[in-house]
């Protein structure tokens, strides 16, 4: 198999191979053509081709280098400059080769060292004096260690490069995964905000429309006031929806988020919709709570009051307790016997997610004829 390389990389590799081949040929035949020792040409060509293939096909380059070395030893050619190509080949098998080429390169470092030692000291004792004797054994061991060390060093450098490349790829993959997760979280947040805005606004609009319909025959001014409330609520909801859609479409930064200062407007909308709302804040906030806590409290109250308008009866009791380390939120309202039980849709799930995102918890369910929402959100963790 051939690795995918860019055009300039292929050109560079084969250019380097051609230059090395010409340089090695110049050493073999310093006087030019005709070359007296033709036996050295074939190993030189094999090593040059292996050098050109080293990044394109590391496994094939290693096999070709071994073939060139075998032919060189068969014809008894002493070490030639082209043999240096084996270092580059071993480097690329470790850096870019597949699993098989990687380990074949590792084995070749030791086998190559042994073959070089045997060939130079035993089969061709050109380094020593005369034929091989047991006195040359220290020399053979020295050649073995030196050759194996040099070959293994090339392979080790390639292995380190391979590790660095894989670490970089893993880091890029992790960054892409994190970016995708952030985008998904942002979309979920926007969808959650969209649900809160639309559900609450529609609940107020429906309550006002029902009231206006019943009051139109007896008190036209009440109907006119209800229609005004419907218009104001719808315009506010439309502005919020447009802001959320803009964030979703253009991936812009978060727009202004509601906080404690907006709770009075929320309470006013619920009261105008006809709910008997009773607020108890004890103790009051010790200062300016973190924005995440304010947003969580606002959205939980918004959804809980929306559920109270849609499914519950009067009165609606809201209690906020701003303690030193947390805020306790409680919303209770009677359940209508003919109303569908809240919690079957996305509202309770959304409130739970709001609390969890702020590091807290939320429980919602029927409690003695009432529907109760209780949330506890830590202040220190959210900050």
């Amino acid at each position: 198999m051939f690795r995918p390389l860019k055009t300039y990389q292929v050109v560079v590799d084969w250019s380097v191979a051609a230059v090395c081949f010409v340089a090695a040929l110049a050493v073999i035949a310093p006087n030019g053509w005709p070359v007296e020792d033709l036996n050295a040409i074939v190993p030189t060509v094999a090593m040059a081709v292996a050098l050109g293939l080293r990044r394109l096909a590391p496994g094939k380059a290693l096999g070709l280098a071994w073939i060139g070395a075998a032919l060189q030893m068969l014809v008894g050619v002493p070490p030639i400059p082209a043999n240096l190509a084996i270092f580059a080949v071993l480097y690329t098998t470790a850096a870019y080769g597949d699993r098989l080429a990687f380990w074949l390169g590792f084995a070749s470092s030791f086998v190559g060292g042994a073959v070089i030692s045997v060939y130079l000291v035993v089969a061709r004792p050109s380094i020593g004096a005369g034929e091989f004797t047991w006195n040359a054994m220290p020399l053979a061991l020295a050649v073995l260690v030196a050759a194996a060390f040099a070959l293994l060093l090339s392979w080790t450098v390639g292995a380190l490069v391979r590790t660095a490349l894989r670490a970089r790829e893993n880091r890029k993959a992790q960054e892409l995964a994190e970016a995708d997760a952030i985008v998904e979280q942002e979309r979920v947040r926007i969808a959650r905000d969209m649900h809160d805005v639309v559900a609450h606004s529609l609940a107020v609009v429906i309550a006002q429309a029902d009231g206006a319909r019943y009051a139109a025959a007896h008190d036209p001014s009440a109907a006119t006031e209800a229609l005004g409330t419907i218009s104001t609520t719808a315009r506010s909801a439309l502005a919020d929806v447009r802001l959320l859609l803009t964030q979703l479409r253009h991936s812009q930064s978060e727009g202004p988020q509601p906080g404690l200062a907006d709770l009075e407007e929320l309470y006013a909308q619920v009261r105008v919709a006809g709910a008997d709302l009773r607020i108890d804040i004890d103790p009051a906030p010790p200062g300016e709570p973190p924005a995440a806590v304010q947003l969580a409290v606002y959205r939980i109250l918004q959804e809980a009051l929306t559920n109270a308008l849609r499914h519950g009866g009067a009165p609606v009791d809201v209690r906020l307790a701003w303690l030193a380390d947390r805020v306790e939120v409680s919303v209770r309202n009677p359940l209508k016997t003919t109303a569908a039980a809240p919690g079957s849709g996305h509202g309770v799930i959304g409130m739970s997610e709001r609390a969890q995102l702020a590091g807290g918890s939320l429980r919602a369910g029927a409690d003695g004829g009432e529907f109760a929402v209780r949330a506890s959100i830590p202040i220190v963790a959210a900050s």
Side-chain angles (χ1 to χ4, degrees):
M1 296 295 294
F2 292 93
R3 295 179 60 246
L5 294 180
K6 296 181 180 179
T7 303
Y8 80 89
Q9 293 176 315
V10 177
V11 172
V12 168
D13 287 351
W14 285 104
S15 298
V16 171
V19 171
C20 292
F21 174 74
V22 173
L25 198 61
V27 176
I28 296 173
N31 298 323
W33 296 92
V35 181
E36 297 180 357
D37 192 2
L38 294 177
N39 290 334
I41 297 297
V42 175
T44 301
V45 172
M47 293 294 179
V49 175
L51 192 61
L53 283 175
R54 69 188 188 279
R55 285 198 296 179
L56 190 61
K60 292 180 174 61
L62 180 63
L64 192 57
W66 268 110
I67 292 174
L71 293 175
Q72 179 179 347
M73 290 183 290
L74 285 176
V75 297
V77 177
I80 55 178
N83 295 138
L84 296 175
I86 190 60
F87 294 107
V89 172
L90 285 176
Y91 167 83
T92 52
T93 57
Y96 308 115
D98 56 18
R99 184 177 182 84
L100 179 61
F102 179 83
W103 291 112
L104 285 177
F106 177 72
S108 297
S109 301
F110 296 97
V111 176
V115 170
I116 291 173
S117 177
V118 172
Y119 180 68
L120 294 180
V121 181
V122 179
R124 186 182 175 87
S126 55
I127 299 179
E131 297 182 355
F132 174 78
T133 61
W134 288 109
N135 293 332
M137 184 59 68
L139 178 60
L141 292 176
V143 173
L144 171 63
V145 172
F149 176 79
L151 296 174
L152 188 60
L153 180 62
S154 301
W155 182 90
T156 302
V157 172
L160 293 175
V161 171
R162 183 191 192 95
T163 302
L165 291 175
R166 288 195 171 183
R168 185 173 63 182
E169 292 175 357
N170 292 337
R171 185 168 58 252
K172 288 183 178 179
Q174 182 179 2
E175 291 175 354
L176 289 175
E178 291 176 352
D180 291 341
I182 291 174
V183 171
E184 183 63 23
Q185 290 175 1
E186 183 67 10
R187 290 181 181 275
V188 171
R189 182 193 67 80
I190 293 174
R192 190 185 300 113
D193 288 347
M194 186 81 73
H195 171 270
D196 293 343
V197 170
V198 172
H200 173 73
S201 301
L202 287 180
V204 173
V205 167
I206 291 171
Q208 287 294 311
D210 290 341
R213 184 178 60 183
Y214 294 126
H218 306 287
D219 189 359
S221 61
T224 302
E225 182 180 354
L227 291 175
T229 302
I230 290 175
S231 176
T232 302
T233 303
R235 290 178 186 275
S236 176
L238 181 60
D240 291 340
V241 168
R242 282 177 174 173
L243 176 62
L244 293 173
L245 290 178
T246 301
Q247 297 177 31
L248 183 63
R249 184 180 299 111
H250 301 291
S251 299
Q252 296 177 348
S253 59
E254 292 187 4
Q257 296 293 335
L260 299 185
D262 301 294
L263 286 178
E264 289 301 326
E265 181 180 355
L266 175 64
Y267 298 151
Q269 291 178 350
V270 175
R271 288 192 175 102
V272 169
D276 181 10
L277 191 60
R278 299 186 298 195
I279 310 297
D280 179 19
I281 302 177
D282 185 27
E288 183 69 15
V293 174
Q294 295 189 45
L295 177 61
V297 170
Y298 182 92
R299 292 303 189 193
I300 290 172
L301 286 176
Q302 185 182 49
E303 181 61 31
L305 294 175
T306 300
N307 285 338
L309 284 174
R310 295 172 59 189
H311 306 290
V316 181
D317 293 315
V318 176
R319 182 176 182 276
L320 292 176
W322 293 91
L323 306 177
D325 59 339
R326 70 189 187 278
V327 55
E328 301 285 348
V329 181
S330 174
V331 179
R332 303 178 67 93
N333 62 273
L335 278 174
K336 294 180 180 178
T337 56
T338 59
S344 57
H346 298 285
V348 174
I349 297 176
M351 288 190 292
S352 298
E353 291 177 349
R354 290 285 182 188
Q356 291 173 5
L357 286 175
S361 60
L362 181 140
R363 292 179 299 165
D367 183 12
E370 293 182 328
F371 189 82
V373 176
R374 303 182 187 87
S376 177
I377 301 173
I379 297 178
V380 177
S383 62

